[in-house]
Amino acid sequence: MTRASGTERNDAETRDRRLRGLVAHAYERVPFHRERFDRAGLRPADVRGIADLARLPVMEKADLLDRPIEEIVARGTRPSTLVSTMTSGYSGEPLVVHRSRAEQALWARSWLRDLLAAGLRRGDRVASVFVHREGRPDGIALLNGLGLVDERMIDCCLDPVEILAELRRTPPTFLRGLPSVIERVAGLVTDHDRPRLRPRVVWLSGEVVTPMARARIESAFGAPVHDAYGTHEVGLIASDCRAAGLKHLGRPDLIVEVVAGAVPTAPDTGEIVVTALSFSTAPFIRYRLTDSVTPGPYGCPCGHPGATLARIEGRTIDYFELPDGRAIHPYRILAPLLGAAPWIRQYQLVQEAPDRIVLRHVPLEGAGPPSGQELREAAAAMLGPDVRFEIEAVPRIGTAEGGKPRPIVRA
């Protein structure tokens, strides 16, 4: 076993100290976490450092969905001072995340550091192909406001032909977006486009990048792909290593575990569980994500000294093919529906046939009656007369093999 260096020991001691402080704060000031600790028979003094973290119960998104804000944020916090934003909801369970303004800035900087490491430069023309509400808060908006980059938002829900037309209109030097959308656009790029549509890098996030998608995008745009892995809740988690084909972990304010059940695993596939040391307003302590991962070696061949991930098995979204020949991204259906339906606790959007799409949902406890007719009318206007859109209330949403939720299904 390699002996830890003085720097590594100091870093570990700092993280242990920060973890002790976060755990004590959560127990003393956040009712939700005090309840968790008491139920597990633990006190803050029982968690001396990362080695004791596995004694704590795993925190699920579902645990937070029915909780009022005063139970999940620290006592004494004024809601008017918070930045409260909803997760994309494309995991199947939309969640409102509460952060202080300082925490929001830290969250944004985690993404910005990765963008800069990927090759973002002053003066870049940036094309951001995301759902509009997801694309703004990750750091580029600040650079854009200062005039350091020129960012242009392109709605990923547009037809890929329209997205390509936007890219042709103003060719970006830095292209970023959702993998499934950028891959569709890549399939439309012509030989005439290639000399002009050559960004320095294509930065992807929000979905799994398959090897086939990576190769197709790199070939179409003549640029390397950089894949960033993170979540709305805690920010960037892992970042591409082009040299070794791995993903680097190592944010000093983020503890990442790979677990089977609630127990950290050996280097086999498991689920990601994160603890965010910098977020104390509404703490995430042993928060389970819905992605399975395979850990890589500790110490990347490129020289990165920390832990790595070899593979991520997360969401991979595909388009729905409609009877009239259109291909529509599920986000185009979901974005307006989720915004108009705060009574949805969990959902599954299923294309059962080319002409039939069903939104199954579990209602939020205590929510008012659903306005299903309004949603049907909105979906009908989008999908056209040849597609039936139906809404079904169900007691629970089934999972795929391995227990993972499948929020979007093509039957």
Side-chain angles (χ1 to χ4, degrees):
M1 180 181 295
T2 303
R3 180 175 297 177
S5 69
T7 299
E8 289 172 330
R9 285 196 299 272
N10 289 339
D11 289 346
E13 289 169 2
T14 298
R15 281 156 67 87
D16 283 347
R17 175 173 49 78
R18 294 186 68 183
L19 178 61
R20 289 195 297 272
L22 179 66
V23 166
H25 162 84
Y27 185 81
E28 292 164 8
R29 299 188 61 190
V30 184
F32 168 74
H33 286 287
R34 188 182 190 100
E35 179 185 311
R36 293 176 65 223
F37 277 48
D38 287 345
R39 194 163 53 240
L42 293 172
R43 292 294 181 268
D46 297 326
V47 181
R48 299 178 299 276
I50 295 174
D52 299 316
L53 196 57
R55 300 178 66 183
L56 292 174
V58 166
M59 177 181 169
E60 308 275 357
K61 180 183 288 189
D63 298 334
L64 297 170
L65 291 175
D66 296 322
R67 297 280 184 150
I69 184 173
E70 53 272 10
E71 290 187 10
I72 60 177
V73 303
R75 284 197 303 269
T77 302
R78 288 184 298 159
S80 62
T81 67
L82 299 180
V83 179
S84 298
T85 56
M86 183 179 286
T87 63
S88 66
Y90 302 128
S91 65
E93 295 179 304
L95 173 70
V96 177
V97 177
H98 307 284
R99 286 187 277 263
S100 69
R101 291 186 176 90
E103 290 168 348
Q104 181 68 18
L106 287 171
W107 181 91
R109 283 203 293 271
S110 75
W111 292 107
L112 182 56
R113 281 192 293 270
D114 187 74
L115 289 159
L116 294 171
L120 180 68
R121 297 178 186 172
R122 183 170 183 162
D124 267 334
R125 296 187 306 276
V126 181
S128 297
V129 187
F130 291 104
V131 175
H132 275 197
R133 65 176 179 163
E134 291 185 312
R136 298 303 297 165
D138 61 6
I140 280 194
L142 174 62
L143 299 184
N144 187 63
L146 295 173
L148 299 177
V149 300
D150 179 16
E151 184 193 25
R152 186 162 47 95
M153 293 295 300
I154 302 174
D155 190 348
C156 74
C157 296
L158 293 174
D159 188 285
V161 172
E162 297 176 80
I163 295 173
L164 179 58
E166 290 291 327
L167 296 179
R168 286 168 175 161
R169 192 169 294 117
T170 308
T173 57
F174 192 97
L175 173 61
R176 67 188 193 124
L178 290 170
S180 60
V181 178
I182 300 299
E183 182 186 10
R184 278 273 174 157
V185 175
L188 301 174
V189 171
T190 67
D191 290 340
H192 180 72
D193 292 318
R194 296 182 203 282
R196 295 189 69 229
L197 293 183
R198 295 186 67 85
R200 186 182 318 107
V201 65
V202 181
W203 187 92
L204 302 175
S205 188
E207 300 166 357
V208 168
V209 181
T210 66
M212 183 178 296
R214 184 186 291 264
R216 190 176 189 184
I217 292 168
E218 290 184 339
S219 174
F221 291 101
V225 161
H226 180 94
D227 178 26
Y229 170 58
T231 71
H232 184 84
E233 291 93 328
V234 301
L236 181 77
I237 296 173
S239 182
D240 248 1
C241 173
R242 297 178 192 168
L246 300 169
K247 284 185 169 52
H248 295 166
L249 296 167
R251 261 182 66 186
D253 64 335
L254 198 67
I255 300 171
V256 178
E257 304 171 79
V258 179
V259 307
V263 181
T265 69
D268 295 318
T269 297
E271 288 184 288
I272 284 272
V273 169
V274 294
T275 299
L277 298 174
S278 295
F279 298 163
S280 59
T281 300
F284 289 99
I285 301 174
R286 299 208 80 207
Y287 180 66
R288 189 199 303 271
L289 305 179
T290 57
D291 297 332
S292 293
V293 301
T294 300
Y298 190 90
C300 183
C302 77
H304 172 77
T308 64
L309 297 178
R311 189 171 65 253
I312 299 169
E313 303 288 347
R315 303 186 308 276
T316 300
I317 309 296
D318 204 356
Y319 283 68
F320 289 169
E321 306 287 344
L322 302 184
D324 60 6
R326 286 182 297 150
I328 188 168
H329 199 285
Y331 288 8
R332 187 173 176 187
I333 304 170
L334 287 170
L337 296 189
L338 294 177
W343 39 266
I344 290 179
R345 184 184 194 278
Q346 186 181 15
Y347 74 85
Q348 187 178 62
L349 187 69
V350 183
Q351 186 181 31
E352 295 188 338
D355 62 351
R356 175 179 160 85
I357 296 174
V358 180
L359 177 68
R360 299 193 177 103
H361 74 278
V362 178
L364 192 64
E365 186 176 337
S371 53
Q373 186 57 34
E374 294 180 12
L375 296 187
R376 290 186 186 91
E377 291 173 358
M382 181 191 311
L383 298 171
D386 296 331
V387 180
R388 287 182 297 158
F389 179 79
E390 300 180 10
I391 301 173
E392 295 179 0
V394 296
R396 62 183 295 274
I397 300 293
T399 58
E401 185 178 350
K404 297 291 182 293
R406 293 186 63 196
I408 296 172
V409 178
R410 293 180 64 192

Coordinates of all heavy atoms in Angstrom, one line a residue, residues 151-230:
E151 N -22.6 34.2 -25.5 CA -23.4 33.0 -25.5 C -24.7 33.2 -26.2 O -25.4 34.2 -26.0 CB -23.7 32.6 -24.0 CG -24.4 31.2 -23.9 CD -25.0 31.0 -22.5 OE1 -25.2 31.9 -21.8 OE2 -25.2 29.8 -22.2
R152 N -25.1 32.1 -26.9 CA -26.4 32.1 -27.6 C -27.1 30.8 -27.2 O -26.6 29.7 -27.4 CB -26.3 32.2 -29.1 CG -27.6 32.3 -29.9 CD -27.2 32.8 -31.3 NE -26.1 32.0 -31.9 CZ -26.3 31.0 -32.6 NH1 -27.5 30.6 -33.0 NH2 -25.2 30.3 -33.1
M153 N -28.3 31.0 -26.6 CA -29.1 29.9 -26.2 C -29.9 29.4 -27.4 O -30.6 30.1 -28.1 CB -30.1 30.2 -25.0 CG -29.4 30.6 -23.7 SD -28.5 29.2 -23.0 CE -29.8 28.0 -22.8
I154 N -29.9 28.0 -27.6 CA -30.7 27.4 -28.6 C -31.5 26.3 -27.9 O -31.0 25.4 -27.2 CB -29.9 26.7 -29.7 CG1 -29.0 27.8 -30.3 CG2 -30.7 26.0 -30.7 CD1 -28.0 27.2 -31.4
D155 N -32.9 26.4 -28.0 CA -33.7 25.5 -27.3 C -33.6 24.1 -27.8 O -33.8 23.8 -29.0 CB -35.2 25.9 -27.5 CG -36.2 25.2 -26.6 OD1 -35.8 24.1 -26.0 OD2 -37.3 25.6 -26.5
C156 N -33.2 23.1 -27.0 CA -33.0 21.7 -27.4 C -34.2 21.1 -27.9 O -34.2 20.0 -28.5 CB -32.3 20.9 -26.3 SG -33.4 20.5 -25.0
C157 N -35.4 21.7 -27.5 CA -36.7 21.1 -27.9 C -37.0 21.4 -29.4 O -38.0 20.8 -29.9 CB -37.8 21.6 -27.0 SG -37.6 21.0 -25.3
L158 N -36.2 22.3 -30.0 CA -36.5 22.5 -31.4 C -36.2 21.3 -32.3 O -35.5 20.4 -31.9 CB -35.6 23.7 -31.9 CG -35.9 25.1 -31.4 CD1 -34.8 26.0 -31.8 CD2 -37.2 25.6 -31.8
D159 N -36.8 21.3 -33.5 CA -36.4 20.2 -34.4 C -34.9 20.3 -34.7 O -34.4 21.4 -34.9 CB -37.2 20.4 -35.7 CG -37.0 19.3 -36.7 OD1 -35.9 19.2 -37.3 OD2 -38.0 18.5 -36.8
P160 N -34.2 19.2 -34.8 CA -32.8 19.2 -35.1 C -32.4 20.0 -36.3 O -31.3 20.6 -36.4 CB -32.4 17.7 -35.2 CG -33.4 17.0 -34.4 CD -34.7 17.8 -34.5
V161 N -33.3 20.0 -37.3 CA -33.0 20.8 -38.5 C -32.9 22.3 -38.2 O -32.1 23.0 -38.7 CB -34.1 20.5 -39.6 CG1 -34.0 21.5 -40.8 CG2 -34.1 19.1 -40.1
E162 N -33.8 22.7 -37.3 CA -33.8 24.1 -36.9 C -32.6 24.5 -36.1 O -32.0 25.6 -36.2 CB -35.1 24.5 -36.1 CG -36.4 24.3 -36.8 CD -37.6 24.6 -35.9 OE1 -37.9 25.7 -35.7 OE2 -38.2 23.6 -35.5
I163 N -32.2 23.5 -35.2 CA -31.0 23.7 -34.4 C -29.7 23.9 -35.3 O -28.9 24.8 -35.1 CB -30.8 22.6 -33.4 CG1 -31.9 22.6 -32.4 CG2 -29.4 22.7 -32.7 CD1 -31.9 21.4 -31.5
L164 N -29.7 23.0 -36.3 CA -28.5 23.1 -37.3 C -28.6 24.4 -38.0 O -27.5 25.0 -38.2 CB -28.6 21.9 -38.3 CG -27.5 21.9 -39.3 CD1 -26.1 21.9 -38.7 CD2 -27.6 20.7 -40.2
A165 N -29.7 24.9 -38.4 CA -29.8 26.2 -39.0 C -29.3 27.3 -38.2 O -28.7 28.2 -38.7 CB -31.3 26.5 -39.4
E166 N -29.6 27.2 -36.9 CA -29.1 28.2 -35.9 C -27.6 28.2 -35.9 O -26.9 29.2 -35.8 CB -29.7 28.0 -34.5 CG -31.2 28.4 -34.4 CD -31.4 29.9 -34.6 OE1 -30.5 30.7 -34.1 OE2 -32.4 30.3 -35.1
L167 N -27.0 27.0 -35.8 CA -25.5 26.8 -35.8 C -24.9 27.4 -37.1 O -23.8 28.0 -37.1 CB -25.2 25.4 -35.6 CG -25.6 24.8 -34.2 CD1 -25.2 23.3 -34.2 CD2 -25.0 25.5 -33.1
R168 N -25.6 27.1 -38.2 CA -25.0 27.6 -39.5 C -25.1 29.2 -39.5 O -24.1 29.8 -40.0 CB -25.9 27.1 -40.6 CG -25.7 25.7 -41.0 CD -26.7 25.2 -41.9 NE -26.5 23.8 -42.4 CZ -27.4 23.0 -42.9 NH1 -28.7 23.5 -43.0 NH2 -27.1 21.8 -43.3
R169 N -26.1 29.7 -38.9 CA -26.2 31.2 -38.9 C -25.1 31.9 -38.2 O -24.5 32.9 -38.6 CB -27.6 31.6 -38.2 CG -28.0 33.0 -38.4 CD -29.4 33.3 -38.0 NE -30.4 32.5 -38.9 CZ -31.2 31.6 -38.5 NH1 -31.2 31.2 -37.2 NH2 -32.0 31.0 -39.4
T170 N -24.7 31.3 -37.0 CA -23.6 31.9 -36.3 C -22.7 30.7 -35.8 O -23.0 30.2 -34.7 CB -24.0 32.7 -35.1 OG1 -25.0 33.7 -35.5 CG2 -22.8 33.4 -34.4
P171 N -21.8 30.2 -36.6 CA -21.0 29.1 -36.2 C -20.3 29.3 -34.8 O -19.6 30.3 -34.6 CB -20.0 28.9 -37.3 CG -20.6 29.5 -38.5 CD -21.4 30.7 -37.9
P172 N -20.5 28.4 -33.8 CA -19.8 28.6 -32.5 C -18.4 28.1 -32.5 O -18.0 27.2 -33.3 CB -20.7 27.7 -31.6 CG -21.1 26.6 -32.5 CD -21.3 27.2 -33.9
T173 N -17.6 28.8 -31.7 CA -16.3 28.3 -31.4 C -16.3 27.3 -30.2 O -15.3 26.6 -30.0 CB -15.3 29.4 -31.1 OG1 -15.8 30.2 -30.0 CG2 -15.1 30.3 -32.3
F174 N -17.4 27.3 -29.4 CA -17.5 26.4 -28.3 C -19.0 26.0 -28.3 O -19.9 26.8 -28.1 CB -17.2 27.1 -27.0 CG -17.0 26.2 -25.8 CD1 -15.8 25.7 -25.4 CD2 -18.2 25.8 -25.1 CE1 -15.7 24.9 -24.3 CE2 -18.0 24.9 -24.0 CZ -16.8 24.5 -23.6
L175 N -19.2 24.7 -28.5 CA -20.6 24.1 -28.6 C -20.8 23.3 -27.4 O -20.0 22.4 -27.0 CB -20.7 23.3 -29.9 CG -22.0 22.5 -30.1 CD1 -23.2 23.4 -30.1 CD2 -21.9 21.6 -31.3
R176 N -22.0 23.5 -26.8 CA -22.3 22.6 -25.6 C -23.8 22.3 -25.7 O -24.6 23.0 -26.2 CB -22.0 23.3 -24.3 CG -22.8 24.5 -24.0 CD -22.2 25.2 -22.7 NE -23.2 26.2 -22.3 CZ -23.7 26.3 -21.1 NH1 -23.3 25.4 -20.2 NH2 -24.6 27.2 -20.7
G177 N -24.2 21.1 -25.1 CA -25.6 20.8 -25.1 C -25.8 19.4 -24.6 O -24.9 18.7 -24.1
L178 N -27.1 18.9 -24.8 CA -27.5 17.6 -24.4 C -27.0 16.6 -25.5 O -27.2 16.8 -26.7 CB -29.0 17.5 -24.3 CG -29.7 18.2 -23.1 CD1 -31.2 18.3 -23.3 CD2 -29.3 17.6 -21.8
P179 N -26.4 15.5 -25.0 CA -25.8 14.5 -26.0 C -26.8 14.0 -27.0 O -26.5 13.9 -28.2 CB -25.4 13.4 -25.1 CG -25.1 14.0 -23.8 CD -26.1 15.1 -23.6
S180 N -28.0 13.6 -26.6 CA -29.0 13.0 -27.6 C -29.3 14.1 -28.7 O -29.5 13.7 -29.8 CB -30.2 12.6 -26.9 OG -30.9 13.6 -26.2
V181 N -29.4 15.3 -28.3 CA -29.8 16.4 -29.3 C -28.6 16.7 -30.2 O -28.7 16.7 -31.4 CB -30.2 17.7 -28.5 CG1 -30.5 18.8 -29.5 CG2 -31.4 17.4 -27.7
I182 N -27.4 16.8 -29.6 CA -26.2 17.1 -30.4 C -25.9 15.9 -31.4 O -25.5 16.2 -32.5 CB -25.0 17.4 -29.5 CG1 -25.3 18.6 -28.6 CG2 -23.8 17.7 -30.4 CD1 -25.5 19.9 -29.4
E183 N -26.2 14.7 -30.9 CA -26.0 13.6 -31.8 C -26.9 13.6 -33.0 O -26.6 13.3 -34.1 CB -26.2 12.3 -31.0 CG -25.9 11.0 -31.9 CD -26.2 9.7 -31.2 OE1 -26.8 9.8 -30.1 OE2 -25.9 8.7 -31.8
R184 N -28.2 14.0 -32.8 CA -29.2 14.1 -33.9 C -28.7 15.2 -34.8 O -28.8 15.0 -36.1 CB -30.5 14.5 -33.3 CG -31.3 13.3 -32.8 CD -32.1 12.6 -33.9 NE -32.8 11.4 -33.4 CZ -33.8 10.9 -34.0 NH1 -34.4 11.5 -35.0 NH2 -34.4 9.8 -33.5
V185 N -28.3 16.3 -34.3 CA -27.8 17.4 -35.2 C -26.6 16.9 -36.0 O -26.4 17.2 -37.2 CB -27.5 18.6 -34.4 CG1 -26.9 19.7 -35.2 CG2 -28.7 19.2 -33.7
A186 N -25.7 16.2 -35.3 CA -24.5 15.7 -36.0 C -24.8 14.8 -37.2 O -24.1 14.9 -38.2 CB -23.6 14.9 -35.0
G187 N -25.9 14.1 -37.1 CA -26.4 13.3 -38.3 C -26.8 14.1 -39.4 O -27.0 13.5 -40.6
L188 N -27.1 15.4 -39.3 CA -27.6 16.2 -40.4 C -26.4 17.1 -41.0 O -26.7 17.7 -42.0 CB -28.7 17.2 -39.8 CG -29.9 16.5 -39.2 CD1 -30.8 17.5 -38.6 CD2 -30.6 15.7 -40.3
V189 N -25.3 17.1 -40.3 CA -24.2 17.9 -40.8 C -23.7 17.4 -42.1 O -23.5 16.2 -42.3 CB -23.0 17.9 -39.8 CG1 -21.8 18.6 -40.3 CG2 -23.5 18.7 -38.5
T190 N -23.6 18.3 -43.1 CA -23.2 17.9 -44.5 C -21.7 18.2 -44.7 O -21.0 18.9 -43.9 CB -24.0 18.7 -45.5 OG1 -23.7 20.1 -45.4 CG2 -25.5 18.5 -45.3
D191 N -21.2 17.7 -45.8 CA -19.8 18.1 -46.2 C -19.6 19.6 -46.4 O -18.5 20.1 -46.1 CB -19.4 17.3 -47.4 CG -19.2 15.8 -47.2 OD1 -19.1 15.4 -46.0 OD2 -19.3 15.0 -48.2
H192 N -20.7 20.2 -46.8 CA -20.6 21.7 -47.0 C -20.5 22.4 -45.7 O -19.9 23.5 -45.6 CB -21.8 22.1 -47.8 CG -21.9 23.6 -48.0 ND1 -21.0 24.2 -48.9 CD2 -22.6 24.6 -47.4 CE1 -21.3 25.5 -48.9 NE2 -22.2 25.8 -48.0
D193 N -21.1 21.8 -44.6 CA -21.1 22.4 -43.3 C -19.7 22.3 -42.6 O -19.3 23.2 -41.8 CB -22.1 21.8 -42.4 CG -23.5 22.0 -42.8 OD1 -23.8 23.2 -43.1 OD2 -24.4 21.1 -42.7
R194 N -19.0 21.2 -42.8 CA -17.9 20.8 -42.0 C -16.8 21.9 -41.9 O -16.2 22.1 -40.9 CB -17.3 19.5 -42.5 CG -18.2 18.3 -42.3 CD -17.6 17.0 -42.7 NE -18.7 16.1 -43.1 CZ -19.4 15.4 -42.2 NH1 -19.2 15.5 -40.9 NH2 -20.3 14.5 -42.6
P195 N -16.4 22.6 -43.0 CA -15.4 23.6 -42.9 C -15.8 24.8 -42.0 O -14.9 25.4 -41.4 CB -15.2 24.1 -44.4 CG -15.7 23.0 -45.2 CD -16.9 22.4 -44.5
R196 N -17.1 25.1 -41.9 CA -17.5 26.2 -41.0 C -17.9 25.8 -39.6 O -17.6 26.5 -38.7 CB -18.7 26.9 -41.7 CG -18.4 27.6 -43.0 CD -19.5 28.4 -43.5 NE -19.7 29.6 -42.6 CZ -20.8 30.0 -42.1 NH1 -21.9 29.3 -42.3 NH2 -20.9 31.1 -41.4
L197 N -18.5 24.6 -39.5 CA -19.0 24.2 -38.2 C -17.9 23.3 -37.5 O -18.0 22.1 -37.5 CB -20.3 23.4 -38.3 CG -21.5 24.1 -38.8 CD1 -22.7 23.2 -38.8 CD2 -21.8 25.3 -37.9
R198 N -16.8 24.0 -37.1 CA -15.7 23.3 -36.4 C -15.4 24.0 -35.1 O -14.4 24.8 -35.0 CB -14.5 23.3 -37.3 CG -14.7 22.5 -38.6 CD -13.4 22.4 -39.4 NE -12.4 21.7 -38.7 CZ -12.3 20.3 -38.8 NH1 -13.2 19.6 -39.5 NH2 -11.3 19.7 -38.2
P199 N -16.2 23.8 -34.1 CA -15.9 24.3 -32.8 C -14.7 23.7 -32.2 O -14.2 22.7 -32.6 CB -17.2 23.9 -31.9 CG -17.7 22.7 -32.6 CD -17.4 22.9 -34.1
R200 N -14.1 24.4 -31.3 CA -12.8 23.9 -30.7 C -13.1 22.7 -29.8 O -12.3 21.8 -29.8 CB -12.2 25.0 -29.8 CG -10.8 24.6 -29.2 CD -10.3 25.7 -28.3 NE -10.6 27.0 -28.9 CZ -11.5 27.9 -28.4 NH1 -12.2 27.6 -27.3 NH2 -11.6 29.0 -29.0
V201 N -14.3 22.6 -29.2 CA -14.7 21.5 -28.4 C -16.2 21.4 -28.4 O -16.9 22.4 -28.5 CB -14.1 21.6 -27.0 CG1 -14.7 22.8 -26.2 CG2 -14.3 20.3 -26.1
V202 N -16.7 20.2 -28.2 CA -18.1 20.0 -27.9 C -18.3 19.5 -26.5 O -17.9 18.4 -26.2 CB -18.7 19.0 -28.9 CG1 -20.2 18.8 -28.7 CG2 -18.5 19.4 -30.4
W203 N -18.9 20.3 -25.7 CA -19.0 20.0 -24.2 C -20.4 19.5 -24.0 O -21.4 20.2 -24.3 CB -18.8 21.3 -23.4 CG -18.7 21.2 -21.9 CD1 -17.6 21.0 -21.2 CD2 -19.8 21.3 -21.0 NE1 -18.0 21.0 -19.8 CE2 -19.3 21.2 -19.7 CE3 -21.2 21.5 -21.2 CZ2 -20.1 21.3 -18.6 CZ3 -22.0 21.6 -20.1 CH2 -21.5 21.5 -18.8
L204 N -20.5 18.3 -23.4 CA -21.8 17.6 -23.3 C -22.1 17.4 -21.8 O -21.2 17.1 -21.0 CB -21.8 16.3 -24.0 CG -21.5 16.4 -25.5 CD1 -21.5 15.0 -26.1 CD2 -22.6 17.2 -26.3
S205 N -23.4 17.4 -21.4 CA -23.8 17.1 -20.1 C -25.3 16.9 -20.1 O -26.0 17.3 -21.0 CB -23.5 18.3 -19.1 OG -23.7 17.9 -17.8
G206 N -25.8 16.2 -19.0 CA -27.2 16.0 -18.8 C -27.7 14.6 -19.2 O -28.7 14.2 -18.7
E207 N -26.9 13.8 -19.9 CA -27.3 12.5 -20.3 C -26.0 11.7 -20.5 O -24.9 12.2 -20.6 CB -28.0 12.4 -21.6 CG -29.3 13.2 -21.6 CD -29.9 13.4 -23.0 OE1 -29.2 13.0 -24.0 OE2 -31.0 14.0 -23.1
V208 N -26.1 10.4 -20.6 CA -25.0 9.5 -20.8 C -24.5 9.7 -22.3 O -25.3 9.8 -23.2 CB -25.3 8.0 -20.6 CG1 -24.2 7.1 -21.1 CG2 -25.5 7.8 -19.1
V209 N -23.2 9.8 -22.5 CA -22.6 9.9 -23.8 C -22.2 8.5 -24.2 O -21.2 8.0 -23.6 CB -21.5 10.9 -23.9 CG1 -20.9 10.9 -25.3 CG2 -21.9 12.2 -23.4
T210 N -22.8 7.8 -25.1 CA -22.4 6.5 -25.5 C -21.2 6.6 -26.4 O -21.0 7.6 -27.1 CB -23.5 5.7 -26.3 OG1 -23.8 6.4 -27.5 CG2 -24.8 5.7 -25.5
P211 N -20.4 5.5 -26.5 CA -19.2 5.6 -27.4 C -19.6 5.9 -28.9 O -18.9 6.6 -29.6 CB -18.6 4.2 -27.3 CG -19.0 3.7 -25.9 CD -20.4 4.3 -25.7
M212 N -20.7 5.3 -29.3 CA -21.2 5.6 -30.7 C -21.5 7.1 -30.9 O -21.2 7.7 -31.9 CB -22.4 4.7 -31.0 CG -22.8 4.9 -32.5 SD -24.2 3.8 -32.9 CE -23.4 2.2 -32.7
A213 N -22.2 7.6 -29.9 CA -22.6 9.1 -30.0 C -21.3 9.9 -30.0 O -21.2 10.9 -30.7 CB -23.5 9.4 -28.8
R214 N -20.4 9.6 -29.1 CA -19.1 10.4 -29.1 C -18.4 10.4 -30.4 O -18.0 11.4 -30.9 CB -18.2 9.8 -28.0 CG -16.9 10.6 -27.8 CD -16.0 9.9 -26.8 NE -16.5 10.0 -25.4 CZ -16.2 10.9 -24.5 NH1 -15.3 11.9 -24.9 NH2 -16.7 10.8 -23.3
A215 N -18.3 9.2 -31.0 CA -17.6 9.1 -32.3 C -18.4 9.8 -33.4 O -17.7 10.5 -34.2 CB -17.5 7.6 -32.7
R216 N -19.7 9.8 -33.4 CA -20.5 10.4 -34.4 C -20.4 11.9 -34.3 O -20.2 12.6 -35.3 CB -21.9 10.0 -34.3 CG -22.8 10.4 -35.4 CD -24.2 9.9 -35.2 NE -25.1 10.1 -36.4 CZ -26.3 9.7 -36.5 NH1 -26.9 9.2 -35.4 NH2 -27.0 9.9 -37.6
I217 N -20.4 12.5 -33.1 CA -20.3 13.9 -32.9 C -18.9 14.4 -33.2 O -18.8 15.4 -33.9 CB -20.7 14.2 -31.4 CG1 -22.2 14.0 -31.1 CG2 -20.3 15.7 -31.1 CD1 -22.5 14.0 -29.7
E218 N -17.9 13.7 -32.8 CA -16.5 14.1 -33.1 C -16.3 14.1 -34.6 O -15.6 15.0 -35.1 CB -15.5 13.2 -32.4 CG -15.5 13.5 -30.9 CD -14.5 12.7 -30.1 OE1 -14.0 11.6 -30.7 OE2 -14.1 13.0 -29.0
S219 N -16.8 13.1 -35.3 CA -16.6 13.1 -36.7 C -17.3 14.2 -37.5 O -16.8 14.8 -38.4 CB -17.1 11.7 -37.3 OG -17.1 11.7 -38.7
A220 N -18.6 14.5 -37.0 CA -19.4 15.5 -37.7 C -18.8 16.9 -37.5 O -18.8 17.7 -38.4 CB -20.8 15.5 -37.2
F221 N -18.3 17.2 -36.3 CA -17.9 18.6 -36.0 C -16.4 18.7 -36.0 O -15.9 19.9 -35.9 CB -18.4 19.0 -34.6 CG -19.9 19.2 -34.6 CD1 -20.8 18.3 -34.1 CD2 -20.5 20.4 -35.1 CE1 -22.2 18.4 -34.1 CE2 -21.9 20.5 -35.1 CZ -22.7 19.6 -34.6
G222 N -15.7 17.6 -36.2 CA -14.2 17.7 -36.3 C -13.6 18.3 -35.0 O -12.6 19.0 -35.0
A223 N -14.2 18.0 -33.8 CA -13.8 18.5 -32.6 C -13.9 17.4 -31.5 O -14.7 16.6 -31.6 CB -14.6 19.7 -32.2
P224 N -13.0 17.5 -30.5 CA -13.2 16.5 -29.4 C -14.4 16.8 -28.5 O -14.8 17.9 -28.4 CB -11.9 16.8 -28.6 CG -11.5 18.2 -28.8 CD -11.9 18.4 -30.3
V225 N -14.9 15.7 -28.0 CA -16.1 15.7 -27.1 C -15.5 15.8 -25.6 O -14.6 15.0 -25.3 CB -17.0 14.5 -27.3 CG1 -17.9 14.3 -26.1 CG2 -17.9 14.7 -28.5
H226 N -16.1 16.6 -24.8 CA -15.8 16.6 -23.4 C -17.1 16.4 -22.7 O -18.1 17.2 -22.8 CB -15.2 18.0 -23.0 CG -14.9 18.1 -21.5 ND1 -13.6 17.8 -21.0 CD2 -15.7 18.4 -20.4 CE1 -13.7 17.9 -19.7 NE2 -14.9 18.3 -19.3
D227 N -17.2 15.3 -21.9 CA -18.4 14.9 -21.2 C -18.3 15.3 -19.7 O -17.4 14.8 -19.0 CB -18.6 13.4 -21.4 CG -19.8 12.9 -20.7 OD1 -20.8 13.7 -20.4 OD2 -19.8 11.7 -20.3
A228 N -19.2 16.1 -19.2 CA -19.2 16.5 -17.8 C -20.4 15.8 -17.1 O -21.5 15.9 -17.6 CB -19.3 18.0 -17.7
Y229 N -20.1 15.2 -16.0 CA -21.1 14.5 -15.2 C -21.5 15.2 -13.9 O -20.5 15.5 -13.1 CB -20.7 13.1 -14.9 CG -21.6 12.3 -14.0 CD1 -22.9 12.1 -14.3 CD2 -21.1 11.8 -12.8 CE1 -23.7 11.4 -13.4 CE2 -21.9 11.1 -11.9 CZ -23.2 10.9 -12.2 OH -24.0 10.2 -11.4
G230 N -22.7 15.6 -13.7 CA -23.1 16.2 -12.5 C -24.6 16.2 -12.4 O -25.3 15.6 -13.2

